[in-house]
Structures are given as C-alpha cells and as structure tokens.
Amino acid sequence: MSLAEPEKASLTTAFVCNKSESVLAVIEKCLDNGLGTCLIVEDDQRLAGRISLDDIRQALLDGTAIVDPTLGWHLTDAGTTVATRRLRNDIDDDDVLQPVVDPSGHLTGVLIDRSTVPVQVAKPHMTRHEFRSMLDAFISCWISSKGPYVQKFEQEFRSFVGVRHGVAVSNGTVALHLALVALGVGPGDEVIVPVIVDVDRETWCMTLESVEHACTAQTKAIIPVHLYGRPAEIGPITEFARVRGIAVVEDCAEAHGARYAGRVVGQFGDVSCFSFYANKIVTTGEGGMCLTDSEDLAASLRLLRDHGMSPDRSYWHERVGYNYRITNLQAAIGESQLWRINGTLQRNARIAALYREALEGIPGVRFPPAMSDKYEPVVWLACVQVPADKRLAVMRAAHEARIETRPFFHPLSTLPPYSRYARSCPNSAELSATGINLPTSGDVDDQVVERVARVFHGVLA
Ligand SMILES: Cc1ncc(COP(=O)(O)O)c(C=O)c1O
C-alpha cells in the first residue's frame, strides 16, 4: 500500500466528502481523483462510509437522488437532505481507497491500494471539467454537430497544433478518408502506406529513404504515421513530396503534441489527421480532426464532411459527400481534455520513466530507441520489446496478475485486404512480434509498476 496525501487538508480535497455535500460535488470529486469513489465523513470527521460513481448512478436511475431546491442536488433517503441511502459502510479489502481511522472512528488518512486491482492499458480520465462541459452541452439540447463546442474545439485544437483550420469529424479513420478525397486521390492513384514501406528501426516510422524508393509516377499522396508518439522524419519527407507534387497527409492519431525540428507534428502535411478515440492522448470517446493551412482544402473538407452540401444554399449538394460530423457532446469533452493535455503528456512521460527504471536490466527487455535531437516524441502508450518467443508468456502472466497489456499492431503487409501489396518488411515484422503496450493512465503508480516488474521478472529473469 502507498500512503497518499496524509495531511487532512489534501485528504479533504481529493478523496473525502462531508456527508452534507451535494451529489454534484461528490460526483466531481470521484471524477477528479480518478478512483471513481470517495470516503464520506460526518461534520466531526468520523468516517460515515464510502460512495462510488456506480452507487450514484444507481441512485439516479432508481430515483433516490432528487433535486432539492434549497440545498442543491442531494441524494435523499425518506426526506432527509443528506443522503445516503447508497452510502456503503462496508469497506472491502479490495477497494482501492482505504480509510485510516483512529480508535474513535475519526478519519486520519487514506491509503491507495492498487496491489490487486485490475489495471487497463488506457483508461480515459474524465474530470469535473469534462463533466461540466458535457452537462452544459446536454442541458442546452444542442446534441448534434450544430452546438457551439464543435467550433470551439476546432479552434482550440488547431491553435494547439499551430495550424490555420480545423475540421472536426467523427473519428480518425474518416479524417484520413476525408483528407484523401479532399486532395483528389482516387482510383488508380498510389498512396504510400497502403503501398507499403517498412519502418525504420530507430524511429519506428517511415523514412525519406523508404518513401523515395516506393514513389512512382502514380504516387498521389504519402501518409507518414507518427507511431506510438514517435515522429516520423516528417520535415524531409514533406520537402521531397512538395518538389514532386505529391500530397502529404500526416497521421498524428497517436502523437498529439510530439515535435519534429521544434515544430508540432500536424504542421507539416497538406492535411494532418488526428484521432480522439477513448485511448488517445486527447479523447472525445470517438472523434477526429483534419487540420490544414489551406483555406481551399478546409472548405472542401467541411463540404465533404457535411453531405457535400453547399454552406450557402440549403439541401443543395454540390458533390457526393459524407456525414462525418462530430457531435456537440463529444466536442464538449474534447475541449476540456485539451486544457489538460500538458498534464496528460507529463503523466505519460513519468509513467514510461517509471517502467524504464523498474524493467531495466531484465534479460531481453528493450525500450523504445533514443531519438536524435530533432525528434521530440511523446508517450502515447508506454511500450517495451521482449523476445518474440517469450511475449505470449509475459502477456499471459500479466493477465493473471490482472494487468492488461496489448501486443503491437500487425504489419500492414500481413493483413488480408493488403495482401496484393505484400512485401518484405523485416523491421515492421520484428517490432510487431516483440512489442508490448503497458498500462498508461492515471491508474498507474509505483505499486502498479512494481506488479508489472514482478510479471516481467517472473517470465524473463
Ligand atoms: C495511427 C492511427 N491512425 C488512425 C487511427 C484511426 O482512428 P480512429 O480509431 O479514431 O478511427 C488510429 C487509431 O486508433 C491510429 O492509431
């Protein structure tokens, strides 16, 4: 067990609510502390019990939570304002949040115990900010793409990346599709990515050299993917493409905030595409965005996103388009996520450093290769490589220890729809056979890292 926040002041702020606090306050505390649960105390600090977001959800669903106009929104039990029908007095040993009480029952501290709890690879952290924005969007009834958060999110995200136009869409996949259609890529054109190139051993991404070899007269676009937060050699690739009149669509789905030569990735391509799926650095649940400096491309992207419908003439479809819009509810979450992106990136970097410290020296464990100064990667998911013949055993042992891990992606050339483009990609094959993603979320602390290290030691040492 690790002692978290032993002083009373910080206890009160993060993990403890007074019994008379409103449901809203309790929900927000449960969200902010990332545990989804809070201890509840009486006015004199005696422990009254605990409540979780699940308890509150049930209370809301079965009607035991009501709005009290004088006291705010409270859980009620037969007319008492302090609400606690759902307050649980039982503290299970396997609860993450454990109270420390003195002999007279006063709360003197809390313990965060993650020695046995299940840990996910990538759990989104929804705070009070996401919750309030969501409620705002919900209560406003602007639940489609027409609400104000969509434009706000577009503006704030494009300015975070440093690009002139942002077009938010329903996921990262359609962002890529929209970009290619807007750039006029069609049947018979070649795009480097489905025209497969191997990745570099150091960057784990395509390089200028590999792109040069793969380009033909039919090449219309290149999609450099910044994999696992590691920037591709995007500056030289973009320069090469400009000279050859080839479009560049950056795939930044896994690399929000990474930089190449001091510039944020997403600034280089004609269009750059982001994903805001639930496991991404910034999430809207499902969501994505296309960024571009070109006014014309931005106009095309917007038109195509919206059924190809003229922005000036209702129901007049200028061309065949799609409905790839994002909702106001999703954008509301995204905006709050974006405020916290620097904190998220710092947290992920710290987690990766903890794993490195704990796993360094275990036979066969390799860490992502260091990159030269030009590259400033971010950590999307912490990852390591292990000998291919041991990976399954490591992942199984982690599963036994209630720790979720993921294998790296398969090389594109091995997937059935792309078999016609299959070619030998030894670096991709090696990465794919040896890579493991480790839990990278607010749930990862020293104790979890220790559990992961025990798993690796057990199998590999
Ligand atoms: C590199 C990359 N590109 C594109 C996508 C697609 O994004 P989405 O899942 O939002 O469709 C992902 C995915 O998750 C990704 O990792």
Side-chain angles (χ1 to χ4, degrees), residues 31-304:
L31 288 170
D32 283 356
N33 71 26
L35 301 180
T37 182
C38 258
L39 298 172
I40 307 286
V41 293
E42 312 278 359
D43 285 342
D44 66 358
Q45 285 295 112
R46 263 181 310 123
L47 181 65
R50 76 164 60 234
I51 198 155
S52 72
L53 289 173
D54 272 347
D55 300 325
I56 294 171
R57 193 178 64 209
Q58 273 309 317
L60 289 167
L61 290 175
D62 68 19
T64 48
I66 61 155
V67 177
D68 180 321
T70 52
L71 288 154
W73 193 17
H74 281 253
L75 283 182
T76 67
D77 186 6
T80 53
T81 46
V82 183
T84 50
R85 195 162 183 180
R86 295 245 162 222
L87 192 64
R88 290 190 289 122
N89 292 313
D90 52 316
I91 307 279
D92 298 333
D93 284 347
D94 61 354
D95 278 324
V96 180
L97 181 62
Q98 294 286 332
V100 181
V101 285
D102 67 13
S104 55
H106 293 91
L107 188 73
T108 57
V110 299
L111 294 168
I112 310 287
D113 179 11
R114 297 191 209 262
S115 56
T116 55
V117 291
V119 186
Q120 292 171 231
V121 156
K123 191 173 120 190
H125 186 195
M126 296 288 111
T127 68
R128 74 179 60 206
H129 303 295
E130 285 86 340
F131 183 61
R132 284 181 187 182
S133 309
M134 253 294 281
L135 270 187
D136 180 37
F138 178 85
I139 288 166
S140 76
C141 282
W142 287 106
I143 55 172
S144 73
S145 58
K146 284 216 186 319
Y149 279 105
V150 175
Q151 275 192 15
K152 265 163 99 177
F153 183 43
E154 285 177 341
Q155 271 169 23
E156 283 163 24
F157 193 76
R158 66 144 187 91
S159 103
F160 167 75
V161 177
V163 173
R164 286 175 56 209
H165 305 280
V167 181
V169 293
S170 37
N171 58 63
T173 306
V174 304
L176 290 165
H177 183 218
L178 215 55
L180 292 174
V181 178
L183 286 161
V185 176
D189 294 331
E190 288 180 359
V191 177
I192 310 261
V193 143
V195 171
I196 294 161
V197 293
D198 200 4
V199 298
D200 177 54
R201 288 180 73 86
E202 184 190 305
T203 62
W204 294 1
C205 301
M206 67 171 71
T207 60
L208 172 61
E209 198 187 343
S210 58
V211 167
E212 279 174 338
H213 280 121
C215 270
T216 71
Q218 278 70 50
T219 305
K220 186 84 187 253
I222 305 168
I223 307 183
V225 182
H226 305 292
L227 198 71
Y228 294 121
R230 300 167 71 79
E233 196 180 17
I234 190 70
I237 291 174
T238 313
E239 275 166 39
F240 165 80
R242 294 253 149 87
V243 173
R244 295 277 295 257
I246 299 169
V248 173
V249 176
E250 273 183 85
D251 184 340
C252 311
E254 304 174 5
H256 313 57
R259 288 168 188 264
Y260 178 87
R263 290 168 62 196
V264 179
V265 302
Q267 285 186 17
F268 294 83
D270 296 282
V271 182
S272 55
C273 298
F274 287 80
S275 164
F276 305 122
Y277 181 62
N279 64 11
K280 296 300 190 290
I281 291 164
V282 167
T283 181
T284 58
E286 298 278 358
M289 202 177 295
C290 295
L291 301 184
T292 182
D293 277 330
S294 153
E295 205 145 314
D296 290 347
L297 276 173
S300 292
L301 291 164
R302 286 185 200 288
L303 190 83
L304 289 162

